[in-house]
Amino acid sequence: MSSPVPHWRWHILDSAAELDPLPPVITEELAQDGCNFVVWRPSELPGGCDTSTGTIRREAPPGRVEAEGRSPWSDANPSGYRTEISGGGRRLRLKQFLYDWAFPAADHPCLWGSDTRPYEIGEGRVVWLGTDYMGHRAASARMARTTVELSVLEGEFTDEELVALYAALRPAVPEAVPRVLATPFAELSYWARQPAEMVSVPTGVFSFHRRDRQHEGDWVASGELTAFLTGQGVPPSVGGYRADSAATFGDGAAVRELDVVYASASGGELRLTAQRTGGGRLVFPPERDKHPATAELLDLGGRPLHLGYSDARYGACDAWWQHPDGYELRLLGSAGAGLGRDAFVALVTELDAGLRLGGRAGTLG
């Protein structure tokens, strides 16, 4: 029997006061030890570009500091890696991080609200091209859980050049990839580990009554996950996805929702939210959020299934339905060549059949 893959461990500063005033220049390989995600490096640059400079934003406990690159709307200090690529009068930047304060909206949150176009980049992954919130030509992909965002800062780049850049990204430290993927989301997530203010953001095709800024997630210890899910009546796996982490969210007096993170071996992700009917922030019937997408009303065993997706081939999908046990559910999926509309509906059907909510230890019961 092979030994289990060890979980990923990375360097964390002891306090926010230790943060660098300016993010230091560092190679992708050296940056990996300070990041809670897989760091990617470009193996090829667009034509005429001859400079690639990377800087790291180190992780530290919550605390507001005067440091370049820190968020002005949160006291959180998660890690991140930024690469600026330039040459020939053109310039773009890549930003890499673990999007862990909510589910990444439509799997490409930096493009939220813009028309997007997906392209395959190998190993079942897709990159989305569109316009970011600054009005820049932009792109986004999730690769082994890492969110990799691109923004064009100067000059023009063709679709083909941007897609080729993503297709040429390689893990900076290949041996880190299986370790990061073997580490539960709850152990990687800054917001699961630190009492940082939560960030109110959109999460999918349909609108979710967003969680408060106060830190309120109560994450289940990894060693207790299977027993916890069994008590909730939630299956530990669905399709090729296995339950990785779980948390309950409430208002300080009672649990409102149960979240379960399911992950595939390659880093694909599903996020299930469950609440007792009318007891949380899933409002039925769901209302469309503003991101361009397709919405359908399907039948699930005689019950309505509200389904939304950015692209029928690749997702990212968002499904809402009600369970006969008296619960309301939402399932979000990451994008990928194997997680388009039909495959996602099959996962919803399988998951719905395996749910036995309101069990003896049901938190939401």
Side-chain angles (χ1 to χ4, degrees):
M1 180 181 296
S2 60
S3 301
V5 177
H7 291 181
W8 180 245
R9 297 292 181 261
W10 62 99
H11 180 69
I12 302 171
L13 299 177
D14 291 331
S15 72
E18 296 181 30
L19 288 165
D20 306 289
L22 294 174
V25 174
I26 188 173
T27 65
E28 291 91 347
E29 290 81 1
L30 293 177
Q32 182 64 79
D33 282 342
C35 296
N36 62 333
F37 53 89
V38 173
V39 177
W40 297 82
R41 62 171 183 82
S43 63
E44 298 178 19
L45 300 182
C49 292
D50 55 11
T51 303
S52 177
T53 303
T55 56
I56 189 172
R57 187 179 64 192
R58 306 180 197 277
E59 179 179 325
R64 295 185 184 275
V65 294
E66 293 297 326
E68 185 175 305
R70 295 290 144 178
S71 169
W73 36 257
S74 172
D75 64 347
N77 294 302
S79 60
Y81 189 78
R82 186 184 191 276
T83 307
E84 189 162 305
I85 296 170
S86 61
R90 302 192 298 170
R91 184 165 59 99
L92 60 79
R93 68 109 174 104
L94 292 173
K95 185 167 64 173
Q96 304 182 48
F97 57 98
L98 179 67
Y99 194 108
D100 55 346
W101 52 88
F103 192 87
D107 217 43
H108 44 271
C110 69
L111 308 179
W112 183 254
S114 80
D115 290 315
T116 57
R117 308 178 305 282
Y119 296 87
E120 290 195 44
I121 53 175
E123 298 187 23
R125 303 184 183 112
V126 296
V127 61
W128 301 83
L129 304 188
T131 304
D132 66 18
Y133 64 96
M134 296 291 290
H136 295 153
R137 180 164 160 73
S140 182
R142 274 216 289 172
M143 307 171 65
R145 273 185 165 168
T146 301
T147 293
V148 183
E149 297 179 347
L150 177 152
S151 185
V152 174
L153 305 178
E154 185 178 354
E156 300 291 333
F157 291 84
T158 66
D159 286 1
E160 291 76 16
E161 286 181 303
L162 299 183
V163 172
L165 177 59
Y166 272 88
L169 291 174
R170 300 290 182 267
V173 181
E175 56 269 30
V177 178
R179 293 186 60 188
V180 172
L181 292 178
T183 306
F185 176 84
E187 294 181 18
L188 293 173
S189 169
Y190 184 88
W191 274 259
R193 294 180 285 106
Q194 298 282 5
E197 294 178 355
M198 299 187 71
V199 184
S200 182
V201 292
T203 56
V205 173
F206 300 109
S207 181
F208 176 70
H209 281 207
R210 300 169 192 173
R211 290 171 177 143
D212 299 331
R213 296 184 71 86
Q214 180 181 357
H215 185 86
E216 57 173 346
D218 184 11
W219 290 85
V220 178
S222 297
E224 301 171 5
L225 180 62
T226 300
F228 174 81
L229 293 178
T230 299
Q232 306 306 308
V234 175
S237 64
V238 55
Y241 296 78
R242 293 195 60 82
D244 170 286
S245 302
T248 54
F249 291 84
D251 59 4
V255 171
R256 285 184 173 176
E257 301 102 24
L258 165 67
D259 271 12
V260 182
V261 179
Y262 292 89
S264 71
S266 62
E269 194 173 290
L270 303 172
R271 183 75 63 91
L272 174 70
T273 299
Q275 68 178 36
R276 180 166 285 284
T277 298
R281 282 163 284 204
L282 300 178
V283 178
F284 278 78
E287 297 180 354
R288 283 278 285 107
D289 216 322
K290 70 175 184 178
H291 190 67
T294 299
E296 299 182 40
L297 182 60
L298 306 177
D299 179 81
L300 180 65
R303 291 163 283 139
L305 172 65
H306 299 266
L307 176 69
Y309 50 86
S310 299
D311 184 89
R313 298 164 296 169
Y314 303 120
C317 297
D318 186 356
W320 297 52
W321 75 102
Q322 293 176 307
H323 193 272
D325 288 348
Y327 290 83
E328 294 164 334
L329 302 122
R330 180 193 200 184
L331 188 69
L332 288 161
S334 55
L339 202 55
R341 175 198 181 278
D342 294 346
F344 189 79
V345 170
L347 287 171
V348 170
T349 302
E350 178 185 341
L351 181 62
D352 180 73
L355 289 166
R356 299 292 183 269
L357 293 163
R360 58 179 177 79
T363 299
L364 300 174

PDB file of all heavy atoms in Angstrom, residues 208-230:
ATOM      1  N   PHE A 208     -27.236  34.977  -4.297  1.00  0.00           N
ATOM      2  CA  PHE A 208     -27.217  34.436  -2.942  1.00  0.00           C
ATOM      3  C   PHE A 208     -27.193  35.596  -1.968  1.00  0.00           C
ATOM      4  O   PHE A 208     -26.454  36.565  -2.167  1.00  0.00           O
ATOM      5  CB  PHE A 208     -25.967  33.566  -2.772  1.00  0.00           C
ATOM      6  CG  PHE A 208     -25.762  33.007  -1.386  1.00  0.00           C
ATOM      7  CD1 PHE A 208     -26.605  32.025  -0.901  1.00  0.00           C
ATOM      8  CD2 PHE A 208     -24.725  33.447  -0.577  1.00  0.00           C
ATOM      9  CE1 PHE A 208     -26.420  31.494   0.361  1.00  0.00           C
ATOM     10  CE2 PHE A 208     -24.529  32.921   0.684  1.00  0.00           C
ATOM     11  CZ  PHE A 208     -25.379  31.941   1.153  1.00  0.00           C
ATOM     12  N   HIS A 209     -28.013  35.546  -0.919  1.00  0.00           N
ATOM     13  CA  HIS A 209     -27.994  36.593   0.106  1.00  0.00           C
ATOM     14  C   HIS A 209     -26.666  36.476   0.845  1.00  0.00           C
ATOM     15  O   HIS A 209     -26.479  35.583   1.689  1.00  0.00           O
ATOM     16  CB  HIS A 209     -29.186  36.426   1.056  1.00  0.00           C
ATOM     17  CG  HIS A 209     -30.461  36.955   0.475  1.00  0.00           C
ATOM     18  ND1 HIS A 209     -31.488  37.415   1.245  1.00  0.00           N
ATOM     19  CD2 HIS A 209     -30.865  37.122  -0.815  1.00  0.00           C
ATOM     20  CE1 HIS A 209     -32.493  37.825   0.472  1.00  0.00           C
ATOM     21  NE2 HIS A 209     -32.128  37.655  -0.783  1.00  0.00           N
ATOM     22  N   ARG A 210     -25.775  37.355   0.523  1.00  0.00           N
ATOM     23  CA  ARG A 210     -24.376  37.189   0.890  1.00  0.00           C
ATOM     24  C   ARG A 210     -24.148  37.220   2.392  1.00  0.00           C
ATOM     25  O   ARG A 210     -24.861  37.876   3.136  1.00  0.00           O
ATOM     26  CB  ARG A 210     -23.543  38.266   0.186  1.00  0.00           C
ATOM     27  CG  ARG A 210     -23.686  38.154  -1.342  1.00  0.00           C
ATOM     28  CD  ARG A 210     -23.104  39.336  -2.059  1.00  0.00           C
ATOM     29  NE  ARG A 210     -23.518  39.307  -3.468  1.00  0.00           N
ATOM     30  CZ  ARG A 210     -23.274  40.281  -4.318  1.00  0.00           C
ATOM     31  NH1 ARG A 210     -22.617  41.342  -3.922  1.00  0.00           N
ATOM     32  NH2 ARG A 210     -23.684  40.189  -5.563  1.00  0.00           N
ATOM     33  N   ARG A 211     -23.103  36.512   2.798  1.00  0.00           N
ATOM     34  CA  ARG A 211     -22.796  36.412   4.222  1.00  0.00           C
ATOM     35  C   ARG A 211     -22.199  37.709   4.734  1.00  0.00           C
ATOM     36  O   ARG A 211     -21.567  38.457   4.004  1.00  0.00           O
ATOM     37  CB  ARG A 211     -21.857  35.229   4.445  1.00  0.00           C
ATOM     38  CG  ARG A 211     -22.600  33.910   4.217  1.00  0.00           C
ATOM     39  CD  ARG A 211     -21.716  32.698   4.208  1.00  0.00           C
ATOM     40  NE  ARG A 211     -22.565  31.504   4.050  1.00  0.00           N
ATOM     41  CZ  ARG A 211     -22.236  30.439   3.342  1.00  0.00           C
ATOM     42  NH1 ARG A 211     -21.089  30.386   2.720  1.00  0.00           N
ATOM     43  NH2 ARG A 211     -23.064  29.422   3.263  1.00  0.00           N
ATOM     44  N   ASP A 212     -22.397  37.941   6.014  1.00  0.00           N
ATOM     45  CA  ASP A 212     -21.937  39.172   6.631  1.00  0.00           C
ATOM     46  C   ASP A 212     -20.416  39.236   6.634  1.00  0.00           C
ATOM     47  O   ASP A 212     -19.724  38.235   6.474  1.00  0.00           O
ATOM     48  CB  ASP A 212     -22.445  39.261   8.073  1.00  0.00           C
ATOM     49  CG  ASP A 212     -23.969  39.281   8.149  1.00  0.00           C
ATOM     50  OD1 ASP A 212     -24.595  39.778   7.182  1.00  0.00           O
ATOM     51  OD2 ASP A 212     -24.519  38.802   9.158  1.00  0.00           O
ATOM     52  N   ARG A 213     -19.889  40.440   6.876  1.00  0.00           N
ATOM     53  CA  ARG A 213     -18.443  40.609   6.929  1.00  0.00           C
ATOM     54  C   ARG A 213     -17.852  39.949   8.165  1.00  0.00           C
ATOM     55  O   ARG A 213     -16.680  39.582   8.190  1.00  0.00           O
ATOM     56  CB  ARG A 213     -18.086  42.088   6.903  1.00  0.00           C
ATOM     57  CG  ARG A 213     -18.488  42.776   5.603  1.00  0.00           C
ATOM     58  CD  ARG A 213     -18.039  44.220   5.587  1.00  0.00           C
ATOM     59  NE  ARG A 213     -16.591  44.325   5.452  1.00  0.00           N
ATOM     60  CZ  ARG A 213     -15.958  44.323   4.278  1.00  0.00           C
ATOM     61  NH1 ARG A 213     -16.636  44.176   3.165  1.00  0.00           N
ATOM     62  NH2 ARG A 213     -14.645  44.442   4.224  1.00  0.00           N
ATOM     63  N   GLN A 214     -18.664  39.774   9.207  1.00  0.00           N
ATOM     64  CA  GLN A 214     -18.164  39.110  10.413  1.00  0.00           C
ATOM     65  C   GLN A 214     -17.829  37.659  10.101  1.00  0.00           C
ATOM     66  O   GLN A 214     -18.567  36.959   9.430  1.00  0.00           O
ATOM     67  CB  GLN A 214     -19.223  39.160  11.514  1.00  0.00           C
ATOM     68  CG  GLN A 214     -18.789  38.488  12.800  1.00  0.00           C
ATOM     69  CD  GLN A 214     -19.879  38.539  13.861  1.00  0.00           C
ATOM     70  OE1 GLN A 214     -20.933  39.120  13.637  1.00  0.00           O
ATOM     71  NE2 GLN A 214     -19.613  37.938  15.012  1.00  0.00           N
ATOM     72  N   HIS A 215     -16.688  37.199  10.592  1.00  0.00           N
ATOM     73  CA  HIS A 215     -16.273  35.818  10.376  1.00  0.00           C
ATOM     74  C   HIS A 215     -17.253  34.885  11.095  1.00  0.00           C
ATOM     75  O   HIS A 215     -17.448  34.980  12.293  1.00  0.00           O
ATOM     76  CB  HIS A 215     -14.856  35.613  10.929  1.00  0.00           C
ATOM     77  CG  HIS A 215     -14.306  34.256  10.656  1.00  0.00           C
ATOM     78  ND1 HIS A 215     -13.661  33.956   9.491  1.00  0.00           N
ATOM     79  CD2 HIS A 215     -14.304  33.125  11.390  1.00  0.00           C
ATOM     80  CE1 HIS A 215     -13.282  32.681   9.517  1.00  0.00           C
ATOM     81  NE2 HIS A 215     -13.661  32.164  10.666  1.00  0.00           N
ATOM     82  N   GLU A 216     -17.893  33.987  10.350  1.00  0.00           N
ATOM     83  CA  GLU A 216     -18.918  33.164  10.978  1.00  0.00           C
ATOM     84  C   GLU A 216     -18.851  31.692  10.597  1.00  0.00           C
ATOM     85  O   GLU A 216     -19.670  30.906  11.035  1.00  0.00           O
ATOM     86  CB  GLU A 216     -20.302  33.712  10.604  1.00  0.00           C
ATOM     87  CG  GLU A 216     -20.548  33.781   9.103  1.00  0.00           C
ATOM     88  CD  GLU A 216     -21.972  34.172   8.761  1.00  0.00           C
ATOM     89  OE1 GLU A 216     -22.829  34.142   9.643  1.00  0.00           O
ATOM     90  OE2 GLU A 216     -22.224  34.476   7.593  1.00  0.00           O
ATOM     91  N   GLY A 217     -17.909  31.291   9.774  1.00  0.00           N
ATOM     92  CA  GLY A 217     -17.831  29.889   9.382  1.00  0.00           C
ATOM     93  C   GLY A 217     -17.233  29.017  10.473  1.00  0.00           C
ATOM     94  O   GLY A 217     -16.247  29.384  11.109  1.00  0.00           O
ATOM     95  N   ASP A 218     -17.839  27.865  10.711  1.00  0.00           N
ATOM     96  CA  ASP A 218     -17.337  26.901  11.693  1.00  0.00           C
ATOM     97  C   ASP A 218     -16.964  25.646  10.915  1.00  0.00           C
ATOM     98  O   ASP A 218     -17.833  24.856  10.540  1.00  0.00           O
ATOM     99  CB  ASP A 218     -18.414  26.613  12.737  1.00  0.00           C
ATOM    100  CG  ASP A 218     -17.915  25.696  13.849  1.00  0.00           C
ATOM    101  OD1 ASP A 218     -16.694  25.461  13.914  1.00  0.00           O
ATOM    102  OD2 ASP A 218     -18.753  25.205  14.631  1.00  0.00           O
ATOM    103  N   TRP A 219     -15.664  25.456  10.659  1.00  0.00           N
ATOM    104  CA  TRP A 219     -15.208  24.373   9.798  1.00  0.00           C
ATOM    105  C   TRP A 219     -14.985  23.087  10.595  1.00  0.00           C
ATOM    106  O   TRP A 219     -14.495  23.109  11.714  1.00  0.00           O
ATOM    107  CB  TRP A 219     -13.924  24.778   9.079  1.00  0.00           C
ATOM    108  CG  TRP A 219     -14.180  25.845   8.056  1.00  0.00           C
ATOM    109  CD1 TRP A 219     -14.233  27.198   8.264  1.00  0.00           C
ATOM    110  CD2 TRP A 219     -14.476  25.640   6.676  1.00  0.00           C
ATOM    111  NE1 TRP A 219     -14.535  27.848   7.096  1.00  0.00           N
ATOM    112  CE2 TRP A 219     -14.681  26.921   6.101  1.00  0.00           C
ATOM    113  CE3 TRP A 219     -14.573  24.515   5.863  1.00  0.00           C
ATOM    114  CZ2 TRP A 219     -14.989  27.092   4.751  1.00  0.00           C
ATOM    115  CZ3 TRP A 219     -14.874  24.683   4.518  1.00  0.00           C
ATOM    116  CH2 TRP A 219     -15.078  25.951   3.974  1.00  0.00           C
ATOM    117  N   VAL A 220     -15.340  21.978   9.979  1.00  0.00           N
ATOM    118  CA  VAL A 220     -15.225  20.667  10.613  1.00  0.00           C
ATOM    119  C   VAL A 220     -13.781  20.182  10.498  1.00  0.00           C
ATOM    120  O   VAL A 220     -13.162  20.297   9.432  1.00  0.00           O
ATOM    121  CB  VAL A 220     -16.176  19.658   9.925  1.00  0.00           C
ATOM    122  CG1 VAL A 220     -16.030  18.266  10.535  1.00  0.00           C
ATOM    123  CG2 VAL A 220     -17.616  20.152  10.023  1.00  0.00           C
ATOM    124  N   ALA A 221     -13.235  19.637  11.582  1.00  0.00           N
ATOM    125  CA  ALA A 221     -11.881  19.084  11.550  1.00  0.00           C
ATOM    126  C   ALA A 221     -11.808  17.951  10.531  1.00  0.00           C
ATOM    127  O   ALA A 221     -12.744  17.155  10.400  1.00  0.00           O
ATOM    128  CB  ALA A 221     -11.486  18.586  12.940  1.00  0.00           C
ATOM    129  N   SER A 222     -10.696  17.870   9.820  1.00  0.00           N
ATOM    130  CA  SER A 222     -10.554  16.897   8.737  1.00  0.00           C
ATOM    131  C   SER A 222     -10.817  15.466   9.197  1.00  0.00           C
ATOM    132  O   SER A 222     -11.471  14.688   8.504  1.00  0.00           O
ATOM    133  CB  SER A 222      -9.152  16.998   8.129  1.00  0.00           C
ATOM    134  OG  SER A 222      -8.938  18.262   7.545  1.00  0.00           O
ATOM    135  N   GLY A 223     -10.317  15.109  10.394  1.00  0.00           N
ATOM    136  CA  GLY A 223     -10.489  13.750  10.889  1.00  0.00           C
ATOM    137  C   GLY A 223     -11.916  13.408  11.270  1.00  0.00           C
ATOM    138  O   GLY A 223     -12.243  12.226  11.449  1.00  0.00           O
ATOM    139  N   GLU A 224     -12.764  14.425  11.375  1.00  0.00           N
ATOM    140  CA  GLU A 224     -14.158  14.202  11.767  1.00  0.00           C
ATOM    141  C   GLU A 224     -15.132  14.356  10.603  1.00  0.00           C
ATOM    142  O   GLU A 224     -16.347  14.237  10.787  1.00  0.00           O
ATOM    143  CB  GLU A 224     -14.538  15.207  12.879  1.00  0.00           C
ATOM    144  CG  GLU A 224     -13.663  15.096  14.121  1.00  0.00           C
ATOM    145  CD  GLU A 224     -13.910  16.239  15.100  1.00  0.00           C
ATOM    146  OE1 GLU A 224     -14.827  17.052  14.842  1.00  0.00           O
ATOM    147  OE2 GLU A 224     -13.174  16.321  16.102  1.00  0.00           O
ATOM    148  N   LEU A 225     -14.608  14.616   9.402  1.00  0.00           N
ATOM    149  CA  LEU A 225     -15.459  14.969   8.274  1.00  0.00           C
ATOM    150  C   LEU A 225     -16.425  13.860   7.885  1.00  0.00           C
ATOM    151  O   LEU A 225     -17.632  14.101   7.727  1.00  0.00           O
ATOM    152  CB  LEU A 225     -14.597  15.359   7.066  1.00  0.00           C
ATOM    153  CG  LEU A 225     -15.368  15.752   5.807  1.00  0.00           C
ATOM    154  CD1 LEU A 225     -16.218  16.987   6.061  1.00  0.00           C
ATOM    155  CD2 LEU A 225     -14.395  16.000   4.654  1.00  0.00           C
ATOM    156  N   THR A 226     -15.932  12.632   7.745  1.00  0.00           N
ATOM    157  CA  THR A 226     -16.800  11.539   7.299  1.00  0.00           C
ATOM    158  C   THR A 226     -17.933  11.295   8.280  1.00  0.00           C
ATOM    159  O   THR A 226     -19.102  11.160   7.888  1.00  0.00           O
ATOM    160  CB  THR A 226     -15.979  10.252   7.104  1.00  0.00           C
ATOM    161  OG1 THR A 226     -14.967  10.480   6.107  1.00  0.00           O
ATOM    162  CG2 THR A 226     -16.871   9.105   6.640  1.00  0.00           C
ATOM    163  N   ALA A 227     -17.615  11.256   9.574  1.00  0.00           N
ATOM    164  CA  ALA A 227     -18.652  11.045  10.586  1.00  0.00           C
ATOM    165  C   ALA A 227     -19.644  12.206  10.596  1.00  0.00           C
ATOM    166  O   ALA A 227     -20.857  11.995  10.753  1.00  0.00           O
ATOM    167  CB  ALA A 227     -18.010  10.880  11.964  1.00  0.00           C
ATOM    168  N   PHE A 228     -19.141  13.410  10.425  1.00  0.00           N
ATOM    169  CA  PHE A 228     -20.013  14.578  10.399  1.00  0.00           C
ATOM    170  C   PHE A 228     -20.999  14.494   9.234  1.00  0.00           C
ATOM    171  O   PHE A 228     -22.208  14.687   9.416  1.00  0.00           O
ATOM    172  CB  PHE A 228     -19.173  15.854  10.293  1.00  0.00           C
ATOM    173  CG  PHE A 228     -19.980  17.106  10.119  1.00  0.00           C
ATOM    174  CD1 PHE A 228     -20.573  17.733  11.206  1.00  0.00           C
ATOM    175  CD2 PHE A 228     -20.160  17.662   8.859  1.00  0.00           C
ATOM    176  CE1 PHE A 228     -21.323  18.894  11.049  1.00  0.00           C
ATOM    177  CE2 PHE A 228     -20.911  18.816   8.685  1.00  0.00           C
ATOM    178  CZ  PHE A 228     -21.492  19.432   9.791  1.00  0.00           C
ATOM    179  N   LEU A 229     -20.508  14.202   8.038  1.00  0.00           N
ATOM    180  CA  LEU A 229     -21.382  14.136   6.867  1.00  0.00           C
ATOM    181  C   LEU A 229     -22.387  13.001   6.987  1.00  0.00           C
ATOM    182  O   LEU A 229     -23.551  13.145   6.592  1.00  0.00           O
ATOM    183  CB  LEU A 229     -20.549  13.980   5.596  1.00  0.00           C
ATOM    184  CG  LEU A 229     -19.681  15.184   5.222  1.00  0.00           C
ATOM    185  CD1 LEU A 229     -18.867  14.879   3.975  1.00  0.00           C
ATOM    186  CD2 LEU A 229     -20.526  16.436   5.010  1.00  0.00           C
ATOM    187  N   THR A 230     -21.953  11.881   7.542  1.00  0.00           N
ATOM    188  CA  THR A 230     -22.875  10.766   7.761  1.00  0.00           C
ATOM    189  C   THR A 230     -24.018  11.198   8.671  1.00  0.00           C
ATOM    190  O   THR A 230     -25.191  10.878   8.426  1.00  0.00           O
ATOM    191  CB  THR A 230     -22.133   9.568   8.382  1.00  0.00           C
ATOM    192  OG1 THR A 230     -21.102   9.138   7.486  1.00  0.00           O
ATOM    193  CG2 THR A 230     -23.093   8.409   8.636  1.00  0.00           C
TER     194      THR A 230
END
